[in-house]
Amino acid sequence: MTRVRVLVGGVVLVAAVSGCGVRSQSSPSAIETEDVPFGLLEPEAGTADPDQGGIASEQITVYLLGTDGLVPVERDVERPVGLRKVLRALVAGPTPEESAVGLQSALDPEASVPEIDHDGRRLLVELHESFFTEGGPPSGALAQIVY
């Protein structure tokens, strides 16, 4: 009876752990417009918001890889915030302080920002092979981009 409990417990544990990862997809999936964060669908041309006291930057969250998965970190990005600027901040990778505590990126900081196509409803981000660090886990890189 104890062996059965251990076996059942092991199966449940494996199922729970495997369900926590980022799932791969064979094709793009739609994200509702209202679910796109911090104005990424806004045009990138403009000036600083006078209601913000002339502040020409905005704090955003990007995700780096830690020992237990994705870790949110803050970055200041020049206004207006758009997808290209967010991807540039993400590709820049961890700061020296973040690296010192074990945060890293699966994205190659030497790679150029991917091609982006937006038709008003859908956003297509075309990633080139050079976008990923050599030996870095593609699932980690994709998770960083998606989050």
Side-chain angles (χ1 to χ4, degrees):
M1 187 67 164
T2 304
R3 281 188 146 169
V4 172
R5 286 183 184 171
V6 170
L7 181 59
V8 169
V11 169
V12 169
L13 178 63
V14 168
V17 169
S18 66
C20 293
V22 175
R23 299 195 193 323
S24 63
Q25 293 177 255
S26 60
S27 62
S29 60
I31 298 174
E32 296 298 324
T33 303
E34 60 270 6
D35 293 334
V36 178
F38 46 81
L40 289 178
L41 300 179
E42 299 297 321
E44 291 196 339
T47 58
D49 185 353
D51 293 335
Q52 297 293 320
I55 298 173
S57 67
E58 186 172 326
Q59 198 168 62
I60 63 163
T61 302
V62 296
Y63 290 82
L64 298 175
L65 301 175
T67 56
D68 294 328
L70 292 175
V71 177
V73 296
E74 302 300 318
R75 296 288 185 263
D76 286 326
V77 176
E78 184 179 309
R79 286 183 174 198
V81 176
L83 183 57
R84 289 188 204 295
K85 291 178 185 177
V86 171
L87 285 173
R88 281 188 204 112
L90 178 61
V91 169
T95 64
E97 295 81 13
E98 292 163 346
S99 291
V101 296
L103 295 182
Q104 58 183 345
S105 178
L107 305 171
D108 184 354
E110 300 297 318
S112 60
V113 174
E115 297 295 320
I116 301 168
D117 184 28
H118 181 256
D119 67 5
R121 286 195 45 206
R122 292 193 175 109
L123 182 69
L124 176 66
V125 180
E126 184 178 334
L127 304 174
H128 303 283
E129 187 176 318
S130 65
F131 196 67
F132 304 100
T133 56
E134 190 163 326
S139 62
L142 292 175
Q144 284 182 267
I145 294 167
V146 169
Y147 284 92

